[in-house]
Amino acid sequence: YNQGITIRRCKNVFIDGLTINDPQQVCVELKDCGGSTSDPIENITINNLKMFSRVIWGDGIHMKGTSNVAINDCFARTSDDGIAIYASRIDGYSVSQNRDALNIRVTNTKLYPDNAHAIVIGWHGNQSSTNDGNNIYNLNFDNIDILEHDQNWVDPDGFIHSEYDGAIGIVCSDANKCDSFTFSNIRVEDF
């Protein structure tokens, strides 16, 4: 799957003023990024990014095991989640580091998802039986507009996925520990 931007195991990244149109999966993937999880300095910065997707799993900004991120003044017209924040995850494509998701700030952003959520937190984690979970905390969302979020996720066979209802989803699963989320000045357009 071609993604718009893929950033893995990096720190000190600055993205500004780009437009991503019609990637064949996620618009921006951040995986195991951001330097030390104990240092609150935001060293991944995404500013003035515009994203447009239309395919399954067409998330806007998708973060796994990533910390110290500042997202500001973005627009995401996505076919799936607008902003997705997960801890590390071992999946069929690669072995992710065992990392937390900490110190993420999203401000002055407009999210317009077709399916799933404008913001989703904590759904996936490291599913290894030897891991006792990761931390997802210190997430701040301020001055966010959620636009026309009115479409259910329906499979081709007609099955409706009600677990994806809602503009903002927090699902603390896979032994993750979730804490310290702040939402302020969130406007959700009438469904």
Side-chain angles (χ1 to χ4, degrees):
Y1 297 101
N2 293 323
Q3 297 185 154
I5 298 173
T6 302
I7 301 170
R8 295 182 178 158
R9 297 187 180 139
C10 295
K11 59 183 179 177
N12 302 322
V13 175
F14 183 77
I15 299 169
D16 188 18
L18 297 178
T19 300
I20 299 170
N21 190 23
D22 198 20
Q24 296 306 295
Q25 198 184 35
V26 173
C27 292
V28 177
E29 179 195 57
L30 298 170
K31 186 172 183 180
D32 300 328
C33 291
S36 170
T37 57
S38 62
D39 184 356
I41 295 172
E42 294 165 340
N43 54 26
I44 305 288
T45 301
I46 299 173
N47 187 59
N48 188 26
L49 180 65
K50 294 166 188 66
M51 299 160 278
F52 303 88
S53 69
R54 65 176 175 84
V55 297
I56 190 168
W57 299 309
D59 288 1
I61 300 174
H62 183 103
M63 294 171 265
K64 290 181 185 172
T66 293
S67 297
N68 309 324
V69 179
I71 298 167
N72 180 58
D73 192 28
C74 293
F75 177 84
R77 175 68 172 100
T78 57
S79 56
D80 206 347
D81 300 310
I83 304 282
I85 301 172
Y86 310 127
S88 286
R89 181 180 187 193
I90 296 175
D91 55 39
Y93 303 104
S94 65
V95 177
S96 178
Q97 294 180 1
N98 192 28
R99 290 176 49 99
D100 299 325
L102 317 172
N103 309 321
I104 297 170
R105 183 172 50 100
V106 181
T107 56
N108 309 313
T109 292
K110 294 172 180 49
L111 304 171
Y112 187 172
D114 280 337
N115 297 311
H117 304 92
I119 299 167
V120 64
I121 300 165
W123 193 269
H124 304 294
N126 189 335
Q127 298 166 334
S128 167
S129 61
T130 61
N131 182 21
D132 64 354
N134 294 105
N135 296 300
I136 303 172
Y137 66 87
N138 197 19
L139 310 182
N140 295 284
F141 297 85
D142 183 39
N143 197 27
I144 308 295
D145 288 295
I146 298 173
L147 308 173
E148 199 178 309
H149 183 53
D150 60 0
Q151 183 175 348
N152 288 320
W153 180 354
V154 181
D155 280 342
D157 65 1
F159 180 77
I160 298 173
H161 291 268
S162 61
E163 68 271 22
Y164 293 102
D165 286 348
I168 298 171
I170 301 171
V171 183
C172 193
S173 59
D174 292 341
N176 289 322
K177 294 167 278 304
C178 300
D179 195 4
S180 300
F181 302 162
T182 303
F183 297 88
S184 56
N185 302 307
I186 309 294
R187 293 169 296 280
V188 180
E189 187 174 19
D190 191 9
F191 288 13

